[in-house]
Every structure is written in C-alpha cells, then in structure tokens.
Amino acid sequence: MQLQQLAYFTAVAETRHFTQAAERMRVAQPSLSKQIKSLETELGAPLFSRARGNVTLTAAGEALLPLARRMLADAETARREVAELAGLRRGRVRLGATPSLCAGLLADVLARFHRDYPGVELKVEEGGSRDLVRDLARGQLDLALIILPLQSSDPSLVTQEILSENLVVASASPRGRRPYMRIEDLRGRPMVMFRRGYDVREATLAACRQAGFEPRFAVEGGEMDAVLRFVEAGLGIAVVPSMVLENRPRLTGTPLLPGLRRTVALAHRKDVEPTRAAQAFRAALLSFLREAARDGTLPQGIEALVDV
C-alpha cells in the first residue's frame, strides 16, 4: 500500500468522480484508475461502486477513508518535522479555533508569532468546537482551541485548560439599562441562536431547559459574526462569550446570574507529537496569556488558567 494510492483513493472519495479526482491530483485519469485498481487488488475488496456512472464508496471504502486521511496527515506531519530539524526558518502550523477566539485574543497571538517566525506558514481553521475536535482526530489540524468539557469522551486528545470566560446576554439595548439578567429572564424573549456545533448554543439550551422552558428563536443557524449583526439589527438577544463584544459599541453585554462560564483548552492528538512549529506556537500562546494576566490587559470577563 502506497501513500500515493491512498491520496488518489481519498481524492476520488471526496469528489465522487474519477476525472475530477485526476484533475485535483494533476495526473492522467488512466494512471489514477490503475493505482486505485492496484490498491483494491492488494486489499482484496472493491473500494468504489461504479453503477451507472455514479461513484460511491463500498463498505470497505467507508472503512478505509478515515484511516487513509489519518495516514496521509501523519505522513505530511513527518515531512514537515524533518524539514524543521535545521530550525524554525520554515514550517507550518494548522490551528483550529472558535470564531469568538479568532475575533478576540488570537489575532494578537498570531501577529507576535509571525513576527518571531516569519518563515512559518499559519493556517487557521475557524469552526465550532465539535467540528474542530473532529478535524483534530482526522489529522487535519496540529492544534485546536476548543471548549471543555468535550461532548464525547475522546481518549486520543490531550487538552490543556488555558482560560475561562463569562457568557453574557448581548442586546441592542442602551448600556447600563440592566445590571444583570437571570436565565428565567430569557423566557419568551426572541433569541438569535448559533448553528449546531457551537458549544455556547448547547450551554444556552441546557441552562434554559434546567430553568424549565424552551427558548424562543427569532433567528437560528448563524455563525458568530452573523449572530452579532442580527442582534445589532434588533432581531433578538443572544448569549455570547464576553470577549466578542470588544469593539462592538452598538451592543450591550449583560452578565447572567448565576453566572455561565466556559473553559477554553488547547488540544492536540495524543498519538502524534506536535511539530516543532506547533510547539513554538503553543509556547507563544501561553507566554502571551501569562503576560496579559500579569499586565491586566485581558478582556473583561476572561481569566487566564496558566501559571503566571
């Protein structure tokens, strides 16, 4: 079994089309088809069903796909690690982060890291915490900033708590109108709700249900920036991480009583040691949080959980 064969197989599985897969891999279609056939012969099972021009995965193909993705990701990590042995003049960090962190602390950390390691390529994947956990497990990310606790037990991940943050009620009301709100105050109020995959969505739903009611959605299914824009437009209120209201003068953040908080952790796969570039980024992130905690420059409602 060759890595090239796995790359061809993955391309066909993702495009469901041999011609498009060959174009993606920049190889002639007959060569790609021949390699796929050799792989099927070696494994002793067909990987694709080709009925009436439709390409679908067989049961064997479905079983192989996640393994192939992980093997290809591990091979790429190995290549990067060897290339970095001479120092961090080059390399790559594939980082996943939730939209609130991308809009808040992360920009300053990335700027500092790029200044110190200008030759290291930074790839940032923005998504909900559950999506990032999935991408980590598939080997598509080196590090990810995720929300704890994990929704499912995944022993393949190593997590380090780095900060905790208040969740507040965002509204277009004038500042200072209310000193705080209770979960019960959300009953019957039109709410703007994140799409599935956001942990803040699940935390909000759980708190409302514990208080004995189902929230009423005015709009449902948005990403972070869309949710904030909808609230600014007066469509409803939303429970959001406190840091996303920085530089949003049209929005008011009202604390919740009892307080709702979330814990942010830095995660990586247990079975793959992070590359030197990823380790350097982790060190830069923790150093930034320590300095910000000492200097008192963390956004309001955020507490660093690293040793100062």
Side-chain angles (χ1 to χ4, degrees):
M1 186 184 307
Q2 301 174 11
L3 289 174
Q4 185 182 57
Q5 293 174 331
L6 294 177
Y8 291 168
F9 160 74
T10 302
V12 176
E14 291 176 349
T15 62
R16 302 300 172 97
H17 199 284
F18 276 77
T19 300
Q20 293 179 11
E23 291 173 353
R24 176 194 288 190
M25 301 305 298
R26 298 181 180 179
V27 65
Q29 181 180 331
S31 297
L32 181 141
S33 297
K34 182 178 179 180
Q35 290 295 327
I36 295 292
K37 185 63 177 177
S38 296
L39 181 60
E40 290 176 324
T41 300
E42 182 176 352
L43 294 175
L47 300 173
F48 296 103
S49 174
R50 304 168 177 83
R52 296 181 180 178
N54 294 322
V55 177
T56 58
L57 286 167
T58 63
E62 293 281 3
L64 177 61
L65 183 58
L67 299 175
R69 283 173 170 160
R70 179 168 294 188
M71 291 170 70
L72 291 169
D74 290 347
E76 175 64 16
T77 298
R79 281 193 291 266
R80 294 279 179 174
E81 182 67 13
V82 171
E84 293 169 6
L85 289 177
L88 285 178
R89 292 188 296 273
R90 56 181 178 170
R92 180 185 67 177
V93 178
R94 300 171 302 170
L95 175 70
T98 60
S100 59
L101 292 167
C102 287
L105 292 173
L106 192 56
D108 292 333
V109 179
L110 291 173
R112 175 181 295 191
F113 183 80
H114 181 68
R115 180 197 66 201
D116 294 341
Y117 304 102
V120 175
E121 179 185 5
L122 292 168
K123 289 185 174 290
V124 178
E125 180 71 26
E126 187 178 11
S129 187
R130 296 183 181 187
D131 300 330
L132 298 177
V133 168
R134 178 201 62 205
D135 291 344
L136 267 179
R138 289 179 175 178
Q140 297 173 346
L141 297 172
D142 301 310
L143 302 169
L145 292 163
I146 62 174
I147 308 304
L148 295 182
L150 297 175
Q151 297 301 313
S152 61
S153 178
D154 193 339
S156 67
L157 296 183
V158 176
T159 61
Q160 177 184 2
E161 296 182 2
I162 60 171
L163 60 88
S164 66
E165 177 182 19
N166 287 332
L167 298 180
V168 298
V169 179
S171 68
S173 304
R175 293 188 180 277
R177 190 169 183 176
R178 300 185 67 170
Y180 64 87
M181 294 180 69
R182 299 185 183 277
I183 291 295
E184 291 81 0
D185 295 330
L186 305 182
R187 186 193 301 266
R189 297 281 299 273
M191 297 189 66
V192 180
M193 183 55 68
F194 296 96
R195 67 167 174 83
R196 298 182 188 277
Y198 275 70
D199 281 76
V200 67
R201 171 194 173 99
E202 304 308 322
T204 303
L205 292 177
C208 292
R209 288 165 181 166
Q210 187 174 3
F213 68 95
E214 288 289 327
R216 180 164 71 89
F217 297 157
V219 183
E220 180 183 10
E223 302 282 354
M224 179 63 70
D225 188 61
V227 166
L228 296 176
R229 292 291 299 274
F230 293 157
V231 174
E232 286 177 335
L235 288 169
I237 60 176
V239 177
V240 301
S242 59
M243 74 170 69
V244 303
L245 298 185
E246 291 284 315
N247 302 317
R248 289 271 184 174
R250 295 173 57 190
L251 293 179
T252 299
T254 304
L256 279 164
L257 289 181
L260 283 181
R261 294 184 69 81
R262 68 173 189 170
T263 300
V264 179
L266 184 63
H268 66 85
R269 277 175 52 187
K270 181 180 294 185
D271 59 340
V272 177
E273 184 67 18
T275 64
R276 290 183 63 195
Q279 293 176 36
F281 180 83
R282 178 173 59 192
L285 172 62
L286 298 180
S287 175
F288 177 89
L289 289 175
R290 292 188 186 99
E291 291 179 17
R294 286 196 300 265
D295 299 341
T297 57
L298 285 172
Q300 186 175 3
I302 295 178
E303 176 188 359
L305 300 180
V306 297
D307 294 333
V308 179

